[in-house]
Amino acid sequence: MDLPTRLILQNSAWAADTSARDPALFRQLAEGQQPRVLWIGCCDSRVPAERVTNAVPGELFVHRSIANLVSADDASVMSALQYALQVLKVEHVIVCGHEACGGVRASLLPPTGDESAADNYLARHI
């Protein structure tokens, strides 16, 4: 079975299991979100915010980027921050780094000269 098909099947199984454990959860989530935390983390696949915090759906408002950067000239993170604070009224903002971050490592190395999107992003935001 190919990966996308497996992920879709696992999502369906997760939804069914979650609904069986808490039949009202999806109805409550459809009414809107009220997370208390904005979690700004790395987009590294090894560090999923909900998994490493054992959070349930609706607890975290998550923004992920390479090296979990927060820069005033990054419209994406600033939009998430503004929305979280002004609209969602989150109480806490966590910027979470992790060990062996490839984005942080890349930002500390000299530019590769290949003008990659990641190099350009890191150069602009560090």
Side-chain angles (χ1 to χ4, degrees):
M1 175 181 314
D2 67 338
L3 181 60
T5 300
R6 182 176 61 85
L7 293 175
I8 290 169
L9 290 173
Q10 287 177 314
N11 176 256
S12 295
W14 170 82
D17 182 58
T18 299
S19 188
R21 280 185 280 118
D22 186 353
L25 178 65
F26 291 123
R27 279 192 308 278
Q28 290 168 347
L29 293 174
E31 292 174 11
Q33 59 178 323
Q34 296 178 328
R36 295 177 54 209
V37 173
L38 166 60
W39 178 280
I40 299 173
C42 185
C43 56
D44 189 307
S45 63
R46 301 168 295 178
V47 194
E50 295 83 358
R51 196 48 83 81
V52 301
T53 61
N54 209 22
V56 297
E59 279 191 304
L60 302 177
F61 186 65
V62 178
H63 182 277
R64 293 174 73 165
S65 65
I66 290 181
N68 55 278
L69 292 173
V70 176
S71 177
D73 64 344
D74 182 335
S76 180
V77 73
M78 288 296 111
S79 297
L81 181 61
Q82 180 182 16
Y83 186 80
L85 295 173
Q86 292 180 349
V87 177
L88 298 176
K89 308 284 189 214
V90 300
E91 300 168 24
H92 309 280
V93 176
I94 297 172
V95 180
C96 181
H98 66 95
E99 190 170 332
C101 179
V104 171
R105 184 175 35 244
S107 72
L108 298 172
L109 297 172
T112 61
D114 67 1
E115 296 299 318
S116 72
D119 281 347
N120 289 332
Y121 178 83
L122 292 168
R124 280 195 332 270
H125 298 292
I126 292 193

